[in-house]
Amino acid sequence: MSSVKKRAPEEHLCHVIAVAEMSANVWRVRLQPGVPSVASEFMAGQYLEILLPDGRSVPYSIASAPAQGSEIELHIQNQGADSLSSLVLEHLGSVRDLRVRMPQGQCFLDPADLLGIRQLVFIAAGTGFAQMKSMIEAAIDSGIDQELLLLWGVKNAAQFYDLALPQRWQQAHSHFRFVPMVDGEGAEPPVGGMKGNLVEGLQALLPDASHSRFYACGSPGMVYAVEDQLLEKGLEKGELFSDVFAYAPRPAR
C-alpha cells in the first residue's frame, strides 16, 4: 500500500503550446500550466480532465513524467467527426488557454513502494500507452532496478503511433523489455512483437505473477480479462492497478 500523500485535484489554467498529429489519428498535445510547478505535482500514471466551455469534463492520461520540466503532454485519439474527442481537439485548436483539473487517478507509480517486487508489468491498449509512458519514464528516471516489461496492444501495426520510443528504451536499458502485440485479422506484429491480444501475451510471456506489480490501461473488458488471467498465475492481492476499477467496477457474479 502506497504511503504517498496524494494532492487533491485543483483547477489550473494551461497555455496550449502545440497540437500535432503523431500517427494513426493520434495527436500529441503540449500544455504549459500557468503555475510551472503544476507539471510536476502529480504521480506518474495519474490523469487530468480537460474542462470544456459547455461544462463537460474529459479525462486524459498524462503522458509526461513528473520530473520532465514545466510542460504536460497528452495523447488524444480522434474517434471520428461526431465524437467527444473530435470536439476536444477542435477546442484545443481554437484557444490559447484552457482549464484542466488535476491530478486524478489511483493507478500510479510510487518508486518508494516496491519492497518485495521483482518486476513491473505495464499493459496498454491503444492510447493507454500514454499512461504507461509516464510511469516507465518515471521508473527509469528514478533508477529503480526492478525488471520492466511493457505489453502494448493494437489491432494493426500502423496504430503504434510512437513505436520508436519504447524501442529506444529497450536498447538503452537492459532491465526493460518491450513486446508490441497486434490482434487484427491478417495483421502482422513489428519485429520482436507477437500476434494475439494482451491476455494471450500474458499467458505466453508470464509463467508466474507473484512478486510482480501490474498496471493496465484499456477497456473494462480487457482489464478484467487481464485480471482473470493474472489470478490464475498467482496475482497477489492489491498488485494490479487500473483506473477501470474506479469508473467501471466489475459486475457482481
Side-chain angles (χ1 to χ4, degrees):
M1 180 66 67
S2 173
S3 61
V4 170
K5 184 177 181 181
K6 298 181 289 297
R7 294 180 62 87
E10 297 179 344
E11 290 190 15
H12 300 281
L13 190 66
C14 292
H15 177 61
V16 181
I17 299 173
V19 181
E21 192 168 20
M22 300 172 76
S23 66
N25 215 25
V26 174
W27 298 72
R28 176 184 284 118
V29 177
R30 293 169 52 214
L31 306 175
Q32 186 169 45
V35 178
S37 62
V38 168
S40 61
E41 293 175 343
F42 68 97
M43 299 297 294
Q46 290 190 297
Y47 66 91
L48 58 70
E49 291 178 310
I50 291 177
L51 305 179
L52 295 176
D54 63 7
R56 285 184 287 182
S57 59
V58 190
Y60 289 104
S61 294
I62 301 171
S64 44
Q68 292 180 339
S70 61
E71 293 184 12
I72 292 171
E73 179 181 334
L74 309 175
H75 299 166
I76 299 179
Q77 183 173 16
N78 191 337
Q79 301 289 347
D82 298 322
S83 66
L84 185 55
S85 58
S86 178
L87 178 63
V88 168
L89 287 166
E90 181 180 348
H91 179 61
L92 286 166
S94 65
V95 298
R96 292 177 54 87
D97 301 289
L98 80 158
R99 299 201 69 82
V100 304
R101 184 164 50 233
M102 64 174 287
Q104 304 203 62
Q106 303 302 311
C107 177
F108 59 82
L109 176 74
D110 179 3
D113 181 40
L114 297 175
L115 182 64
I117 300 298
R118 62 180 173 83
Q119 71 172 335
L120 305 179
V121 182
F122 304 90
I123 306 161
T127 51
F129 172 69
Q131 184 179 35
M132 303 303 139
K133 173 183 179 293
S134 177
M135 289 191 280
I136 292 168
E137 291 182 333
I140 292 171
D141 290 344
S142 66
I144 69 169
D145 56 8
Q146 278 83 1
E147 295 295 317
L148 308 176
L149 170 63
L150 168 64
L151 276 69
W152 184 7
V154 296
K155 290 296 183 183
N156 63 75
Q159 294 174 315
F160 289 118
Y161 58 86
D162 199 0
L163 186 65
L165 180 59
Q167 290 174 333
R168 290 198 299 270
W169 293 337
Q170 184 164 251
Q171 292 171 354
H173 304 283
S174 60
H175 65 310
F176 175 81
R177 182 183 180 190
F178 170 46
V179 181
M181 301 201 62
V182 297
D183 69 344
E185 184 176 352
E188 291 299 323
V191 174
M194 293 177 60
K195 175 75 174 174
N197 61 41
L198 290 163
V199 174
E200 292 168 339
L202 288 169
Q203 174 67 29
L205 295 169
L206 200 72
D208 179 12
S210 63
H211 305 293
S212 299
R213 182 162 295 167
F214 299 86
Y215 306 90
C217 186
S219 70
M222 182 277 278
V223 171
Y224 287 117
V226 162
E227 183 180 38
D228 290 341
Q229 176 63 237
L230 293 177
L231 285 169
E232 293 181 6
K233 293 176 174 288
L235 174 69
E236 295 167 355
K237 185 177 180 180
E239 294 299 351
L240 171 61
F241 293 84
S242 176
D243 289 316
V244 161
F245 299 143
Y247 73 81
R250 186 195 284 266
R253 297 181 177 180

